[in-house]
Amino acid sequence: MRKSFLFLLLCMSGASVYAQQVLKGTVKDAVSRQPVPGATVKVIGSSKGATTNEKGEFELNVPANAQLQISSVGFENVIVAASIIQASPVWLKIRAINLTDAVVVGYGTQQRGKVTNAISTVKSDALSPEKNIASDFGKALTGRVAGVFVASKDGSPGGTPNILIRGAQSVNAASTNPLIVIDGLIVEGSTISINNINPQDIESIEVLKDAASAAIYGARGSTGVIIVTTKKGRMNSKPAFSINMYTGVNNVPTSRHMLNTEEYSSAFLDARNNRIGDINTLLSDPGNLTPGKISQLTNEKQTLQSQVNGLQMADRSTDWIDRVKNKNAPVNNIQASMSGGGDRNNYYMSLGRYAEEATIGTGNFERYTGRLDVTQQVNNWLKINGNINITQSVRKNFNNPLVAAFNARPDTPADPVLNPDGSLGYYVGQQQHPLGVMMDNNNKDRNNVYLGGLSADIKLLQDLSFRSSFNATKFNDLNTVFYPPTGYLGAFNKGVLKNTGVDNFSYNFDNYFTYTKKVSRLGINATLGYTFYNNQLNYFGYELNGFPKIDGITGGGAGSAYGSAFAIGSNNSSNKEVSDAYFLRTGLDWEGKYLLNASIRRDGSSKLNAGNRYSWFPAVSAGWDIARENFLSGSRLVNQLKIRSSYGISGNIRPLGYFDAQNLLNATSYVNNPALMLTTVIGNPNIRWERTKQIDAGIDVSLLGNRLTLAADYYNKTTDGLMSNNDISWIYGASSIPDNIGSIRNYGADLELALSSRAGAAFSWKVETNMNINRNQLLSLKDSLTTYGAYVFGGPMTKAKVGQSLGSVQVYESLGVDPQTGDMLYKDQNKDGKWDNNDMITVPVALPTFTGGTNITLSYKNFTIDALFNYVVGNKVYDFYEQTLRNYSPDFYGVMPNKFDIINKRWKQKGDITDVPRAITGPHGAGQTADWNYRPSTQFIYNASYVRLRNISLSYNIPTVVLSKVKISRARIYASAQNVFTITKYIGFDPEAAANNGIVSSNLPNPRAAVVGIDLSF
C-alpha cells in the first residue's frame, strides 16, 4: 500500500512537471508599436512573475493553462491566456482613464474614480520637449485644459505667460494668476518664476478649477491652483539613463511694414500742407481773429513752410523692422536623467540646459537645472523622501529696439553715426539710430534658485499615517545695467550703472494625519493637519553715474557720483509675511457609487491686522457613479457615468501688499540731508483678502472601454472684497489707499472630450478637444470705475466698470472719418458740443469669451504625428503702437517718426471713403486739438480672435532590431515646429502678445520655432 502511494505521488509530480512550460513572449506599445521595457508579467493565482527587458521580451515557467496579468505604468492592465502569447505580441493600450489612478490634490491624493471636484490632469507626455519648445511649463497648458487661458504676452526669451483659470477674479490684473504648488512648496509673489523648473522634470500637472478643490489652500486658492508633481524613480527597477536634445531656430514672421522714403516724404508734406491749407482758410476771413491769433497763425505757417522747403531725403529706403530682427535665432535644449530603485528605495536625477536668443533686437536667455530626488523605505513604518532642485538662469544683453525702428526715418543710414570721440551721433535731429540703440545692451539679470524639500511618512496604525514635510526655496537675483557715456541712454549722465537685486527665502512646514478605512461597503478617508508659511523678501540696489569716455573703464569703481537719493527708499526694502492654517478634509464613499467629500480651513496672515487676520474657508462636494449600479455594472459600453457637484469658499491674498494695513515711511533727502517721507500709499487697517464663492456641477463619462471620455462642467462663482487702490487727495501726503471695493462674477462651462482608436490597430489615432465659455461681469464697486492693470503713458486709461467685464479701456467712440474734411468724428455722448472726459466710454478688450484647443495624434508603424491647435475668441487688443504713430508732428527728438504703411490708405481729398484720417499736424478737427485724429479711441481697438497651430511634431521610433546592436533600449528622432501659423483679423504682429490689460505697447511678438531632436534611452 505504501509503495502504491509513493508511486502515485511520483506520477502526480511527473504530471505536474510535464504540465509546466517555458513561455517566451513580447510586450509592445499599441500606439508606437515599440517594445515596453520594465512591464510586469504575473501568473494569476501564483507568486511567479517576470519583468520585460529593453526589447520588451520576457521568459517564464508557467502551467499550460495559465492566465497572465501584464501591467506597466501608463498602460492599461491586460489579462491573457498563456497559450496565445507565443503566437503574437501582447499589445498594451495607453491608459485613457483609470478610476484607481491617484490624482494629486491638496495635501494628499485621491482615486480618480472618487474625485467629486473639477480637476484636470496634464501628464508628462504633453510636456515633452518637441511639444513645448519653451522655457516654462505654463505654455504647455495652452489649449490642453478646459477653463485654462494661457497667453504668452511677450515673446522675449525666458518670458512667462499670463494664466487665467475660469476667468479673472480680481480687479488687480497682476493678481489673477493661479497659485502654483511644486511638490508641496507654495510658490507665490516674487519667490520664483515658473521657468525655474525644467518642464522635463515634471511627471504631472493637476489643475484645481473649482472652489471645493482649491479651498484646502484657503486664502491663496480662489484664482485656481496648479499642482506640479516632479518625477521620481521606481522601486525594483534597473538604472535607466535617458537623454533628450534638440536644436533649432526661432523667427518672427511679420506682415507689418513701415513707409519707404517716397511714402514718408508724401506723408510728411501732406501733413504740413494740409495744416497750411487750414491756416489759409482761417486767414482768408480774419474778422473773427484777434491780432495775436493772426500773428500766431502766420508764424506757424512760416514754420511749416520752412519744414516743407527743408525736407531732404536721401535716395535710400530701409525697412527697420526687418533690420532689427535676429533672423534664425538659435534655440537649444538638452536634458539627461537617470532613475531606478531597489527593494526599499528609488532615485531620480537630472541635468538640463535650455538657451534661446531674442528674435528682435539683442539678448539671450540661458538656464541650467539640476535635480535629485531620493526616497528610502527605512522600515515598515517609516519612509523618507528628500529632493533638491538647483537652477541658474541668466538674461543678458537685452535690448528691444522696436520703438526706435518705428520712429527711424527710412533714409537713415545703414550704420550708426559716430562722433569723433567714439560716441553715438545722429543723422537727423536727435533721432536715435535703431542699431545704435541695440548697442546699449550692457545688462545682465542673473538669478539662482535653490528649491527642495524633506518629508517623512510614518505609518502609525494600519489605517492611520502621519506626514511631515518641510519645503523651502532660496531665490537670489542680481540685475546689472550699464549705459556707457558713449551711448544714447548714458550720454546725459556721463554713463549710468545700476545694480538692483532680490534676496528671498520662503518655506512652508506641513504636518497632517491621513486616515483610510474600509468598513463593509463604506470607504472612509480623512486628512487633518496644520501648515506654517514664512516668506521673507528683501530688495537692494544703488545707482552710479559720471564715467569717463575711456575704453575698458566700465566698472562701478569708475563712477564719480551717486544717482538719485530718492531711489534709495524704493530700491532698498524688507518685507515679510507669516501665515498659518489648520485644515480638515473628509470623504465617504459607498461601494464607490455614492461619494461625499468636505473640507474646511482656517487661514491667517500677518499682512492683516488682528481683527481681520483669520477666516474660515469651507467646501463640500458630492458625486454618484451611475455606472456602478447593478443595471450598468456589467455593461461593456459604459465604464463610468459620474455626476457631481460642489460648493466652496476660497480666498485671494495676492493683491494685498505686505504693509497695506499700515502706514510706512520711505527714505529720501531734503536740502541734501537725510529725510523721511510717507510712501505713496496710505495704510488701511480694515483691509482684508478677496473671497470667492463657487458652485460647480459636472459629469464624467467613459465609454467603449475608455476609448471615449467626456468631462463637462458648469460653474458660477462670485468674488467679493475686490482689492484696489482708491485715489485720495495729496493733502494726505500720498496718492492712494488700498480698499475692498466691490464684487465680480464669472460663470461658464468647461468641456473636455477624447476619442481614440482600438488597441493594436496598425493605424492608431486619438483626438482630444476642449473648450471653455466664460462670462465675466463686475457686479459692484464703491465707485462706478476702478483701475485695472498698468497705465501706458499717452494711451487709454485701463479701467473696470460695473456691468462690464474686466480689462476695459477708456476711450472716445469713433464714428469714422468725415469724407468731407478727412478728420475723425467722435460721438458727443452728453451732447454738450464738447469732447472731453465726460464723452469717453469703456470698452472691454482683455478677456476672451471662448477658448479651446484640439490635439490630434496619428500613428502608423514607427511614425507618429502630433498636432495641437488652440483658439481664442471674443477678446480685443488696443494697439498703442498704431495710435502713437498717427502723430505727424516732430517728436521729442525733433523728427517726424515713421508710420505703418496702413496710412497709405489715408484720406487725401473730399469724398474719399476710408477709415484712416488725413495726415495733418497742429490743431485740427471739431475739437481743434493737435491730437484730434489720434486721441485714444475705438479706432485703435482690433479684434484679436485667432486660431493657431500651436505645435506640430513628427517622430520616428528606430526599430528595436537596429538598436539592439548598439545596446540602446529606445531611440526616437523628431522634428517639431511651434506657432506655425495663425488665422486672425488683427493687422498687428501677434494677437496673443498683449499685456494683461489688453494693450499692445512694448510687447514682442511670439516667435515661430523649428527644431530637430533625438530622444535616447539606455
Side-chain angles (χ1 to χ4, degrees):
M1 181 69 182
R2 191 178 203 181
K3 292 181 179 179
S4 298
F5 181 72
L6 290 173
F7 178 77
L8 181 60
L9 287 176
L10 288 172
C11 289
M12 291 175 64
S13 176
S16 177
V17 172
Y18 181 78
Q20 294 285 324
Q21 61 175 333
V22 177
L23 179 67
K24 295 181 179 180
T26 304
V27 180
K28 290 188 175 183
D29 183 341
V31 175
S32 68
R33 322 286 289 182
Q34 292 298 300
V36 179
T40 301
V41 182
K42 290 186 176 181
V43 179
I44 295 178
S46 169
S47 61
K48 291 183 178 181
T51 303
T52 58
N53 61 20
E54 66 273 6
K55 298 179 183 180
E57 300 170 343
F58 69 91
E59 184 175 312
L60 187 62
N61 288 322
V62 300
N65 60 347
Q67 294 284 317
L68 302 182
Q69 176 177 291
I70 302 174
S71 61
S72 183
V73 175
F75 294 91
E76 293 183 358
N77 294 348
V78 173
I79 297 177
V80 295
S83 58
I84 66 171
I85 284 182
Q86 288 180 287
S88 63
V90 177
W91 299 100
L92 295 187
K93 181 182 178 182
I94 293 177
R95 184 179 296 141
I97 179 174
N98 190 321
L99 304 185
T100 62
D101 276 354
V103 176
V104 179
V105 295
Y107 308 103
T109 61
Q110 287 184 346
Q111 285 188 1
R112 182 176 295 277
K114 298 178 181 179
V115 170
T116 53
N117 307 127
I119 301 176
S120 294
T121 301
V122 176
K123 292 295 186 181
S124 58
D125 178 65
L127 300 165
S128 60
E130 69 272 20
K131 297 179 183 178
N132 185 44
I133 308 173
S135 61
D136 64 272
F137 64 82
K139 297 183 181 71
L141 300 177
T142 306
R144 295 189 183 275
V145 180
V148 177
F149 173 51
V150 182
S152 298
K153 62 186 183 296
D154 190 346
S156 62
T160 56
N162 283 330
I163 303 175
L164 295 180
I165 297 180
R166 291 182 168 180
Q169 293 148 233
S170 176
V171 291
N172 186 323
S175 303
T176 56
N177 286 338
L179 175 70
I180 307 292
V181 181
I182 302 175
D183 287 335
L185 174 68
I186 300 294
V187 177
E188 188 174 65
S190 301
T191 51
I192 67 173
S193 171
I194 60 175
N195 65 17
N196 292 128
I197 297 295
N198 189 336
Q200 292 169 253
D201 283 333
I202 296 174
E203 180 63 34
S204 69
I205 297 175
E206 264 77 23
V207 183
L208 313 186
K209 297 187 288 187
D210 65 337
S213 60
I216 197 69
Y217 288 101
R220 304 180 191 276
S222 72
T223 54
V225 181
I226 294 178
I227 300 179
V228 177
T229 303
T230 57
K231 292 179 178 178
K232 297 182 181 296
R234 293 173 55 193
M235 289 187 178
N236 298 308
S237 61
K238 296 180 180 179
F241 178 78
S242 299
I243 185 168
N244 191 311
M245 51 187 161
Y246 67 68
T247 184
V249 295
N250 283 337
N251 281 290
V252 174
T254 57
S255 57
R256 186 168 252 188
H257 300 284
M258 310 305 295
L259 300 178
N260 60 32
T261 298
E262 181 181 352
E263 294 165 340
Y264 177 93
S265 299
S266 173
F268 181 94
L269 297 175
D270 274 1
R272 282 136 187 86
N273 288 328
N274 283 335
R275 175 58 180 163
I276 290 173
D278 287 357
I279 293 174
N280 288 336
T281 300
L282 292 172
L283 293 177
S284 66
D285 185 15
N288 296 324
L289 301 176
T290 64
K293 183 65 174 178
I294 294 174
S295 176
Q296 183 264 321
L297 290 173
T298 302
N299 291 336
E300 182 184 357
K301 177 181 176 181
Q302 292 174 350
T303 300
L304 293 171
Q305 191 61 55
S306 66
Q307 291 178 6
V308 170
N309 298 334
L311 178 65
Q312 296 181 355
M313 303 289 292
D315 186 18
R316 56 176 177 259
S317 286
T318 301
D319 184 345
W320 285 107
I321 293 180
D322 185 70
R323 280 298 307 276
V324 299
K325 289 183 184 178
N326 182 10
K327 298 180 178 65
N328 298 322
V331 56
N332 300 282
N333 182 71
I334 184 170
Q335 161 95 350
S337 64
M338 177 176 285
S339 63
D343 293 338
R344 304 181 68 84
N345 56 58
N346 62 61
Y347 60 88
Y348 173 86
M349 60 185 74
S350 72
L351 293 172
R353 176 186 180 270
Y354 175 88
E356 62 175 322
E357 290 192 13
T359 52
I360 291 181
T362 62
N364 63 78
F365 172 81
E366 187 174 27
R367 181 193 63 206
Y368 290 89
T369 59
R371 181 168 185 83
L372 175 64
D373 186 290
V374 178
T375 300
Q376 177 67 47
Q377 187 74 49
V378 179
N379 50 44
N380 293 334
W381 57 271
L382 176 62
K383 181 172 71 173
I384 294 177
N385 172 261
N387 63 79
I388 185 169
N389 187 95
I390 301 176
T391 302
Q392 183 184 86
S393 58
V394 179
R395 291 165 53 95
K396 63 181 180 180
N397 301 331
F398 267 82
N399 192 292
N400 177 1
L402 268 183
V403 174
F406 296 157
N407 292 340
R409 283 192 1 177
D411 66 333
T412 299
D415 297 318
V417 177
L418 295 179
N419 296 320
D421 63 356
S423 61
L424 288 169
Y426 307 96
Y427 168 64
V428 57
Q430 287 189 311
Q431 188 175 75
Q432 298 177 352
H433 193 285
L435 300 188
V437 168
M438 291 167 61
M439 296 167 64
D440 273 343
N441 64 357
N442 300 283
N443 55 74
K444 178 184 290 187
D445 185 4
R446 180 192 301 273
N447 66 65
N448 298 301
V449 177
Y450 309 90
L451 183 154
L454 183 65
S455 65
D457 292 280
I458 303 172
K459 190 172 184 180
L460 301 173
L461 299 171
Q462 180 65 30
D463 305 312
L464 179 65
S465 63
F466 174 75
R467 180 179 178 86
S468 180
S469 66
F470 179 84
N471 299 282
T473 179
K474 177 69 173 175
F475 173 80
N476 297 106
D477 180 86
L478 179 62
N479 188 304
T480 301
V481 177
F482 177 70
Y483 300 123
T486 54
Y488 292 129
L489 297 177
F492 181 77
N493 290 319
K494 297 181 180 180
V496 177
L497 173 70
K498 295 180 181 179
N499 273 325
T500 56
V502 179
D503 179 51
N504 167 251
F505 178 69
S506 65
Y507 67 87
N508 52 276
F509 187 34
D510 304 331
N511 296 273
Y512 54 92
F513 295 91
T514 300
Y515 177 78
T516 57
K517 182 72 173 178
K518 186 76 173 179
V519 181
S520 183
R521 291 181 289 178
L522 177 66
I524 305 170
N525 68 80
T527 301
L528 173 65
Y530 171 80
T531 180
F532 179 84
Y533 175 72
N534 184 294
N535 182 30
Q536 300 177 44
L537 184 63
N538 301 303
Y539 296 94
F540 59 89
Y542 62 90
E543 179 180 322
L544 301 173
N545 51 47
F547 291 81
K549 294 183 180 179
I550 301 175
D551 289 342
I553 301 182
T554 59
S560 59
Y562 288 104
S564 168
F566 179 78
I568 294 175
S570 58
N571 285 336
N572 297 270
S573 62
S574 297
N575 307 281
K576 182 177 181 179
E577 180 196 4
V578 174
S579 69
D580 66 345
Y582 294 90
F583 56 88
L584 169 66
R585 178 176 57 226
T586 61
L588 302 173
D589 74 274
W590 184 266
E591 294 183 325
K593 290 188 295 187
Y594 313 115
L595 313 167
L596 179 65
N597 291 281
S599 69
I600 190 167
R601 172 166 170 149
R602 178 169 170 79
D603 225 334
S605 171
S606 62
K607 286 184 176 182
L608 298 170
N609 282 346
N612 296 323
R613 184 158 294 167
Y614 285 92
S615 290
W616 292 95
F617 297 96
V620 63
S621 61
W624 175 28
D625 192 349
I626 304 172
R628 289 179 175 265
E629 295 291 352
N630 292 335
F631 59 87
L632 280 178
S633 60
S635 172
R636 294 185 178 182
L637 173 65
V638 182
N639 306 106
Q640 184 187 41
L641 180 58
K642 179 172 63 177
I643 56 175
R644 50 183 168 76
S645 183
S646 68
Y647 174 81
I649 301 176
S650 54
N652 184 12
I653 199 173
R654 201 167 297 115
L656 190 65
Y658 288 94
F659 304 105
D660 278 357
Q662 307 171 42
N663 293 323
L664 295 182
L665 297 174
N666 259 356
T668 185
S669 64
Y670 182 75
V671 195
N672 294 323
N673 290 312
L676 294 174
M677 64 175 290
L678 281 172
T679 63
T680 57
V681 178
I682 293 290
N684 182 353
N686 298 316
I687 197 76
R688 64 176 176 86
W689 44 49
E690 299 173 346
R691 184 180 59 176
T692 297
K693 302 174 182 178
Q694 181 177 179
I695 187 171
D696 183 283
I699 184 171
D700 297 324
V701 181
S702 180
L703 306 173
L704 303 174
N706 296 326
R707 288 179 52 215
L708 175 62
T709 61
L710 178 145
D713 286 84
Y714 169 80
Y715 60 89
N716 192 334
K717 55 184 177 179
T718 302
T719 302
D720 59 30
L722 294 175
M723 287 191 58
S724 185
N725 285 343
N726 287 333
D727 294 335
I728 59 175
S729 172
W730 273 102
I731 63 173
Y732 295 100
S735 60
S736 63
I737 182 172
D739 197 6
N740 299 109
I741 62 171
S743 61
I744 193 171
R745 179 190 181 203
N746 284 272
Y747 64 98
D750 292 342
L751 176 66
E752 295 180 346
L753 179 66
L755 178 63
S756 60
S757 62
R758 294 181 180 275
F763 173 74
S764 60
W765 51 268
K766 186 174 185 180
V767 178
E768 302 166 284
T769 190
N770 68 82
M771 59 168 284
N772 167 261
I773 299 174
N774 186 75
R775 295 294 181 268
N776 176 279
Q777 184 181 26
L778 191 58
L779 298 179
S780 65
L781 287 174
K782 289 186 176 180
D783 196 355
S784 61
L785 287 173
T786 188
T787 57
Y788 179 82
Y791 169 63
V792 178
F793 182 76
M797 297 295 293
T798 60
K799 294 291 185 178
K801 183 179 180 180
V802 173
Q804 293 184 340
S805 65
L806 296 180
S808 297
V809 289
Q810 193 172 25
V811 294
Y812 293 96
E813 183 178 358
S814 169
L815 300 178
V817 176
D818 186 347
Q820 299 304 308
T821 65
D823 290 324
M824 293 299 302
L825 297 172
Y826 302 108
K827 187 174 182 178
D828 182 5
Q829 302 290 340
N830 58 7
K831 303 187 186 309
D832 64 352
K834 297 183 296 183
W835 289 267
D836 51 28
N837 290 345
N838 295 323
D839 296 300
M840 302 186 84
I841 62 173
T842 54
V843 181
V845 295
L847 298 183
T849 56
F850 174 87
T851 61
T854 298
N855 193 81
I856 303 172
T857 303
L858 307 173
S859 296
Y860 179 71
K861 293 186 177 180
N862 294 338
F863 290 93
T864 300
I865 295 177
D866 193 278
L868 173 64
F869 295 84
N870 79 294
Y871 20 90
V872 176
V873 178
N875 64 315
K876 301 177 178 66
V877 295
Y878 186 92
D879 197 329
F880 182 65
Y881 284 148
E882 185 72 50
Q883 178 198 336
T884 56
L885 294 183
R886 293 286 181 90
N887 181 5
Y888 294 86
S889 300
D891 61 9
F892 176 79
Y893 303 110
V895 183
M896 185 189 84
N898 202 355
K899 317 292 175 192
F900 294 128
D901 60 3
I902 190 176
I903 71 157
N904 289 329
K905 297 168 49 182
R906 69 186 180 275
W907 183 96
K908 292 185 178 180
Q909 59 185 7
K910 285 186 177 182
D912 282 352
I913 305 298
T914 180
D915 55 359
V916 181
R918 65 173 174 161
I920 189 170
T921 183
H924 59 279
Q928 283 298 296
T929 61
D931 69 339
W932 180 262
N933 280 348
Y934 64 92
R935 58 176 47 188
S937 71
T938 54
Q939 68 169 315
F940 303 116
I941 296 176
Y942 291 92
N943 183 348
S945 302
Y946 66 88
V947 176
R948 172 168 284 173
L949 177 53
R950 175 69 56 176
N951 185 280
I952 185 169
S953 61
L954 170 65
S955 62
Y956 174 73
N957 287 283
I958 300 174
T960 307
V961 176
V962 177
L963 299 177
S964 61
K965 299 177 181 179
V966 290
K967 306 296 184 182
I968 296 176
S969 59
R970 182 172 180 266
R972 184 172 60 92
I973 56 176
Y974 59 83
S976 180
Q978 192 156 286
N979 297 329
V980 182
F981 66 79
T982 303
I983 301 173
T984 182
K985 292 183 178 180
Y986 178 47
I987 66 172
F989 291 115
D990 183 356
E992 184 180 357
N996 50 15
N997 57 14
I999 296 178
V1000 176
S1001 56
S1002 59
N1003 310 83
L1004 289 174
N1006 287 290
R1008 175 187 296 163
V1011 301
V1012 293
I1014 187 168
D1015 183 9
L1016 302 174
S1017 296
F1018 301 89

